[in-house]
Amino acid sequence: MFTDIDVFLRFFRSVNRRAVRDVDALPPEADGWTPVGGEGEMAWSINKLIGHMCGSRLYFASAYRREGWISPEPPDVSRAELWGLALDDSFEEFSRLVSEVGQEGLTRQIEMIDTPGATLTGWRVLLMMMEHDIHHRSQIDTYAGLNGWDPPDIFFRSAETIATKQAEQIAKYRS
């Protein structure tokens, strides 16, 4: 549970930085790449996924502000050079919108879009937004891996690097 909007936004800033890092690491052939099969979100291009991430942030901000679960038009992400900028711009706009609500927004109730009378606390709406964002970043990273494009390690450490440290950690903490 988040009890301070500035703490939440600092944490989400790091999530946004990883999203920008990951899309900036994609090669030129990722621009316009679309999965071979699938329907709905499973058939969206990388460009469309990035635009969806940007727009969804503002969708959740609208709900958090009690202005309805309303999706804005996604930004122009038609070219790879626009991706990181669009993510940063949507982060800044999201931050501005939720900051205007103040601390009380974290604990007030927000009516759900699909269950009349059911509510969520504001901090849960913000966590839903962040989880949604991470979900689509992971989808893009999965597409990168399937295409042989190296997605960056999440915290600059690979599973293989961590595995080389296991014997040392076991000796230190289980001896």
Side-chain angles (χ1 to χ4, degrees):
M1 176 172 149
F2 283 93
T3 57
D4 184 292
I5 193 65
D6 293 327
V7 171
F8 171 81
L9 290 172
R10 270 195 309 276
F11 187 75
F12 184 51
R13 180 179 298 280
S14 68
V15 170
N16 183 65
R17 277 196 309 262
R18 286 189 287 281
V20 171
R21 176 203 64 196
D22 287 12
V23 301
D24 283 350
L26 292 168
E29 57 267 33
D31 193 349
W33 184 88
T34 302
V36 175
E39 295 180 22
E41 290 181 23
M42 299 304 293
W44 287 358
S45 69
I46 289 174
N47 304 57
K48 185 162 182 164
L49 284 168
I50 294 165
H52 174 70
M53 289 168 67
C54 295
S56 293
R57 292 169 174 187
L58 303 183
Y59 163 81
F60 283 100
S62 178
Y64 182 79
R65 292 167 59 91
R66 290 185 172 165
E67 295 173 350
W69 295 84
I70 299 171
S71 297
E73 286 295 315
D76 180 9
V77 289
S78 60
R79 301 181 322 276
E81 60 266 16
L82 301 173
W83 296 349
L85 179 61
L87 287 166
D88 280 339
D89 286 350
S90 68
F91 169 79
E92 293 301 330
E93 180 65 4
F94 171 85
S95 298
R96 183 187 68 75
L97 290 169
V98 300
S99 292
E100 287 176 353
V101 175
Q103 296 298 93
E104 68 277 0
L106 292 167
T107 55
R108 69 182 180 177
Q109 298 298 304
I110 310 296
E111 187 171 1
M112 294 174 65
I113 187 172
D114 56 359
T115 312
T119 61
L120 298 165
T121 54
W123 67 266
R124 285 190 187 272
V125 170
L126 297 181
L127 286 180
M128 287 171 64
M129 179 280 308
M130 189 161 37
E131 194 168 342
H132 176 266
D133 205 81
I134 294 166
H135 160 76
H136 286 300
R137 184 184 80 217
S138 298
Q139 185 178 6
I140 293 167
D141 287 346
T142 299
Y143 291 163
L146 290 171
N147 280 289
W149 311 324
D150 277 338
D153 295 319
I154 186 166
F155 298 116
F156 305 106
R157 295 165 185 85
S158 68
E160 293 80 10
T161 300
I162 298 302
T164 66
K165 304 290 185 186
Q166 290 304 288
E168 176 186 321
Q169 290 293 297
I170 290 168
K172 183 175 179 177
Y173 292 100
R174 294 193 180 161
S175 297

